[in-house]
Amino acid sequence: MSDRPRSPRGQGEQLRVEVLEAVNRLLAEWGSDEKLTMRAVAKEVGVAAPSIYLHFSDKAELVWAALTDKYEQLADRMRLADEAVAGEDVRARLLAQVHAYCRFAMRNPGHYRLMYEIRQPAVDPERLGRHPSRLVARSFRSGIQRCLAAGYAVGLPPRQAAHTLWTGLHGMLSLQHSLSLEPDRDLVAGLAGGLVDVLVSAEPQHGAQPPDTAIEQMLARTITDDED
């Protein structure tokens, strides 16, 4: 039995907040979702496990909800950076998003580790497209698609190019974190810009669209493009 008294009517939202805070604490402490269970979260909060199921159907939904605000913050920083250079060309806007991504990771290392460096629950591919990280992926994909529409040559189809850019940035930033390197903003900015240089031509070329690939088709089946 739980030592916590039953929440008064109307305080279910407060319990939800406490549950999500507990998930963040436990993930940060344990470094993965391996030991994270509904029962463990309930014990951390001081409620019975069935109380957790009133708000979340399973562990994946619970973890995703706990991390959603961080993905939203990152996507918002990227959007604001994009809008700040809206008068520039679309390639400059993509580069602004890339730099905003890097700044967020360097200024919020704790958040970034929870988002990308701690194992999360495995789900079916059909469900994976609903992961809150889709907000970030959508921003990169939109930036790549605008470059294509403006005539820039892109070395890969849009979904694959966006995913390659995203994973390249993450690898660079994760290496900084795992080796406890002092973040050199100029170095990170230069490496990030180099990734864009590899994927997107420096000037519009109005060449052929990149050919479709099996990876692009797989990403198209997985990625959710709705605005929810």
Side-chain angles (χ1 to χ4, degrees), residues 33 36 38 56-66 120-123 127 131-132:
D33 73 326
L36 189 76
M38 297 298 210
F56 307 98
S57 61
D58 61 14
K59 186 166 75 170
E61 182 180 343
L62 179 63
V63 171
W64 291 7
Q120 298 182 25
V123 297
R127 187 177 176 189
H131 191 280

Side-chain angles (χ1 to χ4, degrees), residues 33-54:
D33 73 326
E34 186 175 358
K35 295 193 296 182
L36 189 76
T37 63
M38 297 298 210
R39 187 177 299 277
V41 174
K43 181 179 179 181
E44 178 76 7
V45 178
V47 298
S51 299
I52 309 295
Y53 282 102
L54 292 175

Side-chain angles (χ1 to χ4, degrees), residues 14-93:
Q14 178 59 33
L15 173 58
R16 178 184 171 88
V17 170
E18 292 178 21
V19 166
L20 297 183
E21 289 175 345
V23 172
N24 277 282
R25 287 196 302 273
L26 293 175
L27 285 175
E29 178 182 348
W30 292 337
S32 89
D33 73 326
E34 186 175 358
K35 295 193 296 182
L36 189 76
T37 63
M38 297 298 210
R39 187 177 299 277
V41 174
K43 181 179 179 181
E44 178 76 7
V45 178
V47 298
S51 299
I52 309 295
Y53 282 102
L54 292 175
H55 297 272
F56 307 98
S57 61
D58 61 14
K59 186 166 75 170
E61 182 180 343
L62 179 63
V63 171
W64 291 7
L67 300 180
T68 290
D69 66 318
K70 299 168 185 60
Y71 293 110
E72 289 175 341
Q73 288 173 27
L74 174 52
D76 191 54
R77 303 284 175 82
M78 294 168 66
R79 177 186 59 79
L80 291 173
D82 184 302
E83 292 175 352
V85 294
E88 304 291 336
D89 62 55
V90 292
R91 193 180 190 280
R93 294 172 65 181

Side-chain angles (χ1 to χ4, degrees), residues 186-200:
D186 291 337
L187 174 61
V188 170
L191 291 171
L195 286 171
V196 176
D197 290 341
V198 169
L199 289 168
V200 183

Side-chain angles (χ1 to χ4, degrees), residues 140-141 144 154-172 195-196 198-199 213 215-216 219:
F140 283 135
R141 195 161 57 252
I144 291 289
V154 177
L156 296 167
R159 292 179 180 85
Q160 188 176 347
H163 196 74
T164 299
L165 176 58
W166 185 16
T167 54
L169 291 171
H170 169 66
M172 176 184 68
L195 286 171
V196 176
V198 169
L199 289 168
T213 65
I215 294 175
E216 181 76 0
L219 291 172

Side-chain angles (χ1 to χ4, degrees), residues 77 99-112 173 177 183 185:
R77 303 284 175 82
H99 289 160
Y101 183 97
C102 294
R103 285 194 300 271
F104 179 91
M106 290 188 291
R107 293 173 180 174
N108 304 277
H111 280 8
Y112 193 81
L173 293 160
H177 288 159
R185 295 181 181 179

